[in-house]
């Protein structure tokens, strides 16, 4: 279960960012912002290595004492960042990958919506519903 | 397969609708109006191209370089949208690519020779926008133009804008 989910555009501004609990939002915004540097590093490192198969899933970006941050970049250079609680050690790599897959599928549907202009903040209710399903439930 | 013609018909109607709209406001179409019509169709194609690329590149790995992206456009993208591949890709390795399609799907019903040559550009505007939108979502700004010398074969010229 994620604590914070962010979708960041090609130009590195957020298209969608949501965190639970809503009190410490600024801290999560800051965490996501700093993780962008790590994402850039991974993308350029993969480019220099000239691998034939460059994966979209970037894996664990960096762990802090409370949280772990995972990254994923699409072919259109839109980045997804998921922050999960460190105490929740039961989350396996496969589960994180499936979360990113769901995010990517939902985002593709948003892109294909003719009423959505690329570059605008994401306001789709379906997307919000899918993200709520992945976030930690706060009582 | 009946579903293939649906888009062909929709496209034909789109083109005639856009031109009719412009004609209704004035009596006659001058070259400025024609340019407006072409840019409306191109804009439609641009937005659709962006969405299509998002869907198509969902599972494929990242592209190594510009040429790789152009090859993707020529093969997978063209097959998905126009049910065939580009017949010939030429480049000067400095950002200009010429995509040649010898039997362009949207032109086959018009003629197979020199007849209606002057009407052909209207039917290519949307496809130019499609290519431009696809490249833009992959990260390449470009200018796409098309030319026809013998129906139904046409050439799309893509010039990548280097920043």
């Amino acid at each position: 279960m994620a604590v914070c989910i962010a979708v960041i555009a090609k130009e590195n501004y957020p298209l969608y960012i949501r965190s639970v609990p809503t009190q410490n939002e600024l801290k999560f915004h800051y965490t996501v912002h700093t993780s962008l540097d790590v994402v850039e590093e991974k993308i350029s490192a993969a480019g220099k290595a000239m691998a034939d198969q460059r994966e979209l899933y970037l894996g664990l970006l960096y762990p802090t004492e409370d949280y772990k941050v995972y990254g994923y970049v699409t072919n259109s250079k839109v980045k997804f960042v998921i922050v999960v609680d460190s105490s929740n050690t039961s989350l396996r790599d496969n589960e994180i990958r499936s979360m990113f897959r769901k995010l990517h599928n939902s985002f593709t549907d948003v892109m294909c919506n003719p009423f959505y202009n690329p570059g605008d903040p994401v306001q789709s209710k379906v997307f919000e519903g899918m993200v709520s399903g992945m976030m930690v439930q706060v009582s | 397969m009946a579903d293939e013609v649906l888009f062909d018909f929709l496209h034909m109607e789109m083109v005639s609708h856009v031109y009719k709209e412009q004609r209704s406001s004035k009596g006659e179409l001058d070259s400025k109006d024609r340019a407006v019509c072409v840019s409306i169709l191109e804009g439609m194609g641009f937005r659709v191209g962006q969405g299509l690329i998002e869907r198509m590149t969902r599972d494929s790995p990242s592209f190594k370089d510009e040429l790789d992206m152009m090859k993707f456009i020529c093969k997978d993208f063209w097959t998905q949208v126009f049910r065939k591949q580009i017949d010939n890709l030429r480049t000067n390795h400095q950002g200009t690519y010429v995509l040649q399609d010898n039997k362009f799907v949207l032109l086959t019903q018009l003629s197979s020779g020199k007849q209606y040559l002057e009407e052909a550009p209207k039917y290519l505007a949307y496809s130019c926008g499609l290519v431009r939108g696809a490249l833009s979502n992959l990260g390449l700004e470009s200018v796409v133009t098309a030319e026809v010398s013998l129906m139904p074969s046409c050439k799309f010229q893509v010039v990548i804008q280097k920043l």
Side-chain angles (χ1 to χ4, degrees), chain A residues 42-111:
Chain A
K42 289 218 179 215
I43 298 177
S44 56
K48 287 194 187 63
M50 286 305 287
D52 332 277
Q53 172 92 315
R54 283 184 6 226
E55 272 221 38
L56 304 178
Y57 174 66
L58 300 171
L60 183 65
L61 296 177
Y62 68 93
T64 67
E65 68 269 9
D66 295 321
Y67 303 104
K68 292 204 231 127
V69 184
Y70 293 90
Y72 180 100
V73 67
T74 68
N75 267 316
S76 50
K77 303 291 171 272
V78 168
K79 303 154 188 91
F80 299 119
V81 177
I82 294 186
V83 182
V84 299
D85 217 321
S86 266
S87 54
N88 198 345
T89 47
S90 60
L91 269 181
R92 289 186 343 265
D93 201 46
N94 276 341
E95 291 176 18
I96 306 274
R97 276 182 200 261
S98 75
M99 280 164 77
F100 276 123
R101 175 141 290 274
K102 274 196 281 191
L103 265 177
H104 197 172
N105 288 343
S106 271
F107 182 72
T108 309
D109 290 337
V110 167
M111 256 309 246

Side-chain angles (χ1 to χ4, degrees), chain B residues 4 7 52-53 55-57 72-86 105 130:
Chain B
E4 294 172 356
F7 177 68
L52 279 177
I53 278 291
R55 217 173 259 287
M56 280 181 213
T57 58
F72 176 80
I73 302 264
C74 294
K75 294 202 194 124
D76 301 308
F77 186 78
W78 221 255
T79 316
Q80 281 262 339
V81 181
F82 299 118
R83 297 164 324 254
K84 67 184 283 286
Q85 293 188 4
I86 284 276
V105 167
L130 211 59

Side-chain angles (χ1 to χ4, degrees), chain B:
Chain B
M1 281 220 287
D3 47 342
E4 294 172 356
V5 302
L6 288 175
F7 177 68
D8 295 347
F9 282 133
L10 180 64
H11 181 255
M12 288 183 212
E13 189 49 41
M14 244 164 57
V15 174
S16 81
H17 174 78
V18 168
Y19 276 80
K20 202 161 42 181
E21 285 286 303
Q22 280 297 112
R23 198 170 288 134
S24 63
S25 48
K26 312 182 178 183
E28 191 53 64
L29 277 184
D30 61 12
S31 61
K32 204 159 64 107
D33 292 328
R34 266 190 279 271
V36 167
C37 291
V38 166
S39 55
I40 292 177
L41 287 165
E42 220 249 350
M44 285 192 213
F46 183 80
R47 181 68 187 90
V48 173
Q50 287 181 314
L52 279 177
I53 278 291
E54 191 70 48
R55 217 173 259 287
M56 280 181 213
T57 58
R58 191 156 54 184
D59 299 312
S60 51
S62 310
F63 296 110
K64 278 198 284 280
D65 58 10
E66 223 173 75
L67 189 58
D68 219 24
M69 291 188 200
M70 289 311 295
K71 285 196 204 158
F72 176 80
I73 302 264
C74 294
K75 294 202 194 124
D76 301 308
F77 186 78
W78 221 255
T79 316
Q80 281 262 339
V81 181
F82 299 118
R83 297 164 324 254
K84 67 184 283 286
Q85 293 188 4
I86 284 276
D87 297 306
N88 197 351
L89 171 68
R90 284 202 300 277
T91 173
N92 68 355
H93 291 291
Q94 266 149 21
T96 306
Y97 299 86
V98 178
L99 286 71
Q100 183 167 348
D101 191 335
N102 289 330
K103 207 163 170 259
F104 190 54
V105 167
L106 298 172
L107 291 179
T108 39
Q109 301 304 319
L110 294 184
S111 85
S112 53
K114 298 265 182 189
Q115 202 184 14
Y116 297 125
L117 201 61
E118 56 293 340
E119 311 280 351
K122 294 187 207 169
Y123 292 89
L124 295 169
Y126 178 82
S127 311
C128 290
L130 211 59
V131 176
R132 194 167 69 89
L135 287 171
S136 146
N137 214 11
L138 288 171
L140 295 175
E141 289 303 316
S142 56
V143 175
V144 182
T145 49
E147 57 179 34
V148 188
S149 46
L150 187 70
M151 307 265 250
S153 132
C154 66
K155 291 198 187 122
F156 292 91
Q157 186 179 5
V158 179
V159 180
I160 310 283
Q161 310 290 303
K162 294 274 192 291
L163 290 151

